[in-house]
Amino acid sequence: MEARSLSECGVISNWGLVEVQETQERHIFGHSSHYDFFIITQKVTDFHYDFKTRQGSAITDSGILYSLAGKPVLYKPNKQLQLREFMEKNNCVLVPVKIGRFHFFHLNTLAKNLSLNK
């Protein structure tokens, strides 16, 4: 999948990864530099984060590229207004995803795509 363009949201800082418990879809939640408020992305299909540079990127299902800056934050969905509204609107439960030094979300997605092509 190719990214269409960098999101108009600009760089997302103070970001964290949350997962919809029922479907295992993952979303980035963080502060948009362009809009100056917190946003939640569409379903993320590809994710990369470099702990040394504290920079990363995420691509959504629709091909929108997000740039991530700073260390990831572990958000509690029940304590964030936007995440609570997302759960109510979509009738789901969100759980925070801890980003480890060797987070293999990108590699797992790549492996799934390769196994589907056989």
Side-chain angles (χ1 to χ4, degrees):
M1 173 192 301
E2 291 185 29
R4 283 194 244 160
S5 65
L6 185 62
S7 167
E8 65 183 29
C9 294
V11 175
I12 298 178
S13 59
N14 297 324
W15 61 275
L17 194 59
V18 292
E19 183 175 88
V20 177
Q21 188 173 26
E22 294 81 2
T23 63
Q24 285 75 45
E25 291 180 355
R26 292 183 175 188
H27 301 266
I28 299 288
F29 175 73
H31 186 266
S32 164
S33 62
H34 180 77
Y35 293 123
D36 198 24
F37 61 80
F38 280 80
I39 62 154
I40 187 166
T41 67
Q42 297 171 346
K43 176 184 168 188
V44 172
T45 58
D46 192 16
F47 170 83
H48 170 74
Y49 179 70
D50 184 343
F51 271 88
K52 287 182 183 178
T53 63
R54 293 187 179 183
Q55 300 292 315
S57 62
I59 299 175
T60 65
D61 221 10
S62 60
I64 297 176
L65 175 65
Y66 290 91
S67 179
L68 309 172
K71 287 174 57 175
V73 177
L74 200 59
Y75 286 103
K76 295 182 180 178
N78 292 329
K79 298 198 180 218
Q80 293 292 328
L81 177 62
Q82 294 91 339
L83 294 177
R84 280 196 319 256
E85 289 176 354
F86 181 91
M87 289 188 296
E88 289 172 9
K89 180 181 176 185
N90 295 293
N91 194 27
C92 67
V93 175
L94 292 175
V95 291
V97 176
K98 184 174 179 169
I99 307 297
R101 181 160 297 281
F102 299 105
H103 194 78
F104 294 114
F105 181 50
H106 170 72
L107 296 176
N108 288 339
T109 303
L110 181 62
K112 284 180 191 174
N113 289 341
L114 292 174
S115 66
L116 291 176
N117 291 334
K118 288 183 178 180

